[in-house]
Each structure stands twice: as C-alpha cells, then as structure tokens.
Amino acid sequence: MIRSDRLRCRSSDTLTTDDVRDIVRAQADERLAAAARLTAPAHADRAARLRAEAVVLLLEGDGTTADLAGG
C-alpha cells in the first residue's frame, strides 16, 4: 500500500498516490488481458500466474480485487 502522498521519480517530476494507483492498475489490467488471451491448455499455468500477479498488484495498489470478480 502506498503510504506517502508523493513519490519522486528520476526526472524530478512527482507522482501522486493517484498516479501510482493508476500505473499499478494498468499493469494489473495488462496481465488480466494477457491471461484472457491464453486459452490453450498448454498455457494454463502462465495464465494462472498472470492472474495471480494481477491480484497482488491490485491488493497492493488499492486493497481491492473487485476487478477480478468475473475472472
């Protein structure tokens, strides 16, 4: 969970907590989309791993996995 209001990045710009949350959510969404495309039985383990990574990102990002209710 993000504990500070602002994080510094290398370019000296600042990221707000909302910015970080949006980035983390986008990463989780990418993993869920990739997992959805892996439908062949041979890719079942990789799809499960991507979904598990998304859960961790969402829990760390905002403490919820509501986006995974359908998956």
Side-chain angles (χ1 to χ4, degrees):
M1 190 172 301
I2 305 300
R3 302 235 188 259
S4 68
D5 287 336
R6 296 192 164 295
L7 299 173
R8 288 268 175 208
C9 42
R10 292 182 189 154
S11 67
S12 77
D13 292 334
T14 58
L15 293 173
T16 65
T17 301
D18 288 340
D19 294 333
V20 173
R21 187 178 10 243
D22 291 345
I23 292 166
V24 171
R25 183 170 295 277
Q27 288 293 311
D29 290 344
E30 286 181 19
R31 283 167 173 76
L32 291 172
R37 289 189 302 269
L38 295 174
T39 58
H43 297 293
D45 288 343
R46 179 67 180 139
R49 185 173 171 193
L50 287 166
R51 284 190 293 275
E53 290 173 7
V55 167
V56 170
L57 287 167
L58 291 170
L59 286 172
E60 288 298 317
D62 63 10
T64 182
T65 56
D67 293 347
L68 300 176

